[in-house]
Amino acid sequence: MYSKILVPLDGSELSEAVLAHVRTIARCMNAEVLLVRVPVVLPYDYNIIDPELISSLEANAKSEIQAYLEKQVALLQAEGINARMFVGEGLVADTLLQLADSERCDLICMSTHGRSGFARLLMGSVADKVVHGAKIPVLLIRPLAHMDAPPAAPAGAP
């Protein structure tokens, strides 16, 4: 049913919460996993900051992203899951949707940060944009509910 799964990560534990679900689906479906990170580029004041410094900061950020994704891919591959990575550029949601199309992915699995109210208005919601723009199924995991839940009591505990 699913042969290629697009998995956006932002480097946070919240975004990585989806990986447990992705592992299960990938194993059951023998699906390829495409891990993606699209860095958010903050606007700089080019009159104040040296362009060489900006270039250096961007290169360092890309290097860190590359290393992070390589580590995540290696962890999946060590479990026998066919995985690879992609570092995108541009608007996050648009880049994810374009990549899903160009790579012929048939499922997008991602965590949502669960922002609401002013924070969502201010920052936007990548998950919301992906859900509304995707031509394929999207599995959203809300890790906050899972992470805030108390640990399960051991079997037979009172």
Side-chain angles (χ1 to χ4, degrees):
M1 178 178 249
Y2 301 118
S3 60
K4 191 180 291 186
I5 305 169
L6 180 79
V7 183
L9 298 173
D10 67 9
S12 70
E13 287 183 28
L14 290 175
S15 71
E16 292 171 12
V18 75
L19 291 173
H21 300 273
V22 169
R23 283 181 178 93
T24 301
I25 295 168
R27 280 190 201 107
C28 290
M29 302 285 172
N30 196 27
E32 177 183 14
V33 175
L34 178 57
L35 300 180
V36 181
R37 177 124 183 236
V38 182
V40 177
V41 179
L42 300 174
Y44 296 104
D45 184 344
Y46 287 93
N47 295 322
I48 297 173
I49 297 180
D50 179 3
E52 288 181 24
L53 176 61
I54 292 170
S55 179
S56 174
L57 291 171
E58 289 174 350
N60 287 342
K62 191 167 186 174
S63 176
E64 287 177 16
I65 288 169
Q66 185 90 13
Y68 167 76
L69 288 175
E70 286 172 356
K71 176 184 173 188
Q72 296 300 325
V73 165
L75 290 170
L76 291 172
Q77 289 176 340
E79 296 179 34
I81 296 171
N82 181 11
R84 60 189 176 94
M85 57 178 250
F86 181 85
V87 178
E89 290 183 11
L91 298 173
V92 178
D94 293 343
T95 301
L96 295 173
L97 293 169
Q98 290 169 2
L99 186 61
D101 282 344
S102 67
E103 287 287 329
R104 294 192 168 118
C105 296
D106 42 26
L107 178 65
I108 300 172
C109 293
M110 62 190 298
S111 294
T112 176
H113 289 258
R115 292 184 188 100
S116 62
F118 185 70
R120 183 173 179 186
L121 178 67
L122 181 65
M123 299 176 72
S125 170
V126 171
D128 189 54
K129 291 174 186 173
V130 169
V131 166
H132 285 93
K135 300 173 187 169
I136 58 175
V138 178
L139 172 65
L140 290 180
I141 301 300
R142 186 168 180 183
L144 291 178
H146 173 70
M147 293 173 75
D148 292 338

